[in-house]
Amino acid sequence: MNTYIVRGKKIHVEIFGDRSLPAVLFLHGGPGESCYEFVYHQSNRFSDQFQLVAIDQRGVCRSEGLSETEPFGLQDLVEDCEELRKQLGINRWAVIGHSFGGYLALLYASAYPNSITNVVFECPTFDFAWTAKSLLRRAASVFLKQGAEKKSEECLNLAASNLPSKCLFDSYLRLGEELGEHKEDIYRVNADTG
C-alpha cells in the first residue's frame, strides 16, 4: 500500500503483481466507497496474470479528503487516473469499473482512449436517478427493520419522486450515513431488508 501525490492530493494506491505484467486499474463504486473489498477478494486472483492497481478515489476513505470549498467534479477523477498512470510509468492499461466506477471508466476511456487497452464494466451505473431510487428503496427497508418508520417513509417518498438525479443521490448519501453501522445492509443481497 502506498500513497501517491496525484494532482496535489494524497491518493491511496495498492499495487499487486509484477510490474512486467499487463496493468489493470480498478475503479470502485460509490461515489464514496473504497477499493478495499475488491482488493480483499480479488487481488490474489489477479496478481498472477496482471499488475493490479487499485485506488481509493480522491476524497474517499484512505485518500485525502476534500474541503467544503474545494472545486471538484468527475473530470478531476478522470485526470487523477491519467496522472497516476503516468506516475507509475504504465504505457496503457485495462480498466475495471464497478458501479459508479463503470461510469468513471467510460468517461476516462472517452477522454484518453490511447491510454486504455480494454474496459470491463462490472455492474456499471449509467443512470444515477434509477440507481439512487433503487438504493433509497433498499434503505427504506433497512430503516423499517430498525424501527425508523419516518426515515423509511422519507426514503420511499424520495424514490417515488421526479427529483433530479443529483438531489436523489445526495439524499441517498445523507440517509445512508444516518443508518450508521447498518448502511452496509443496503448492499447485502441476503440481508432481510424486504
Side-chain angles (χ1 to χ4, degrees):
M1 292 183 263
N2 296 301
T3 299
Y4 285 79
I5 304 298
V6 178
R7 301 177 56 250
K9 282 287 184 190
K10 294 177 187 171
I11 303 295
H12 176 84
V13 179
E14 298 187 41
I15 302 173
F16 303 89
D18 191 275
R19 290 185 182 257
S20 66
L21 296 170
V24 176
L25 171 66
F26 174 74
L27 297 174
H28 63 74
E33 296 301 322
S34 167
C35 69
Y36 176 80
E37 188 173 332
F38 181 84
V39 165
Y40 180 81
H41 293 289
Q42 304 297 338
S43 61
N44 288 337
R45 292 183 175 115
F46 271 77
S47 62
D48 289 341
Q49 297 178 345
F50 301 99
Q51 175 191 348
L52 174 65
V53 179
I55 64 173
D56 283 355
Q57 296 159 18
R58 173 180 291 247
V60 174
C61 296
R62 298 165 289 184
S63 289
E64 185 178 351
L66 302 170
S67 72
E68 298 249 343
T69 59
E70 186 174 351
F72 174 72
L74 287 171
Q75 193 60 36
D76 288 300
L77 299 177
V78 169
E79 297 304 326
D80 287 350
C81 294
E82 182 61 5
E83 178 60 29
L84 180 62
R85 181 192 64 77
K86 291 175 184 176
Q87 281 189 34
L88 295 175
I90 295 170
N91 185 36
R92 298 177 76 205
W93 54 8
V95 180
I96 299 173
H98 171 72
S99 189
F100 164 74
Y103 184 63
L104 181 56
L106 180 64
L107 294 176
Y108 180 33
S110 296
Y112 294 100
N114 294 329
S115 297
I116 297 172
T117 58
N118 301 305
V119 178
V120 176
F121 297 109
E122 180 192 27
C123 301
T125 297
F126 298 124
D127 184 334
F128 286 96
W130 181 88
T131 298
K133 288 180 177 191
S134 176
L135 291 169
L136 283 163
R137 285 190 292 274
R138 295 281 299 163
S141 296
V142 176
F143 275 121
L144 193 58
K145 184 177 177 186
Q146 301 306 316
E149 292 179 19
K150 287 190 183 271
K151 289 293 179 186
S152 177
E153 187 176 323
E154 180 182 356
C155 290
L156 291 174
N157 287 337
L158 285 163
S161 75
N162 289 319
L163 289 170
S165 59
K166 180 171 180 7
C167 292
L168 290 167
F169 204 81
D170 288 346
S171 296
Y172 160 70
L173 291 175
R174 175 182 53 82
L175 289 159
E177 289 305 312
E178 289 181 29
L179 282 169
E181 66 184 39
H182 297 287
K183 179 182 178 186
E184 290 303 312
D185 291 347
I186 293 170
Y187 303 104
R188 290 193 179 101
V189 174
N190 295 326
D192 184 22
T193 57

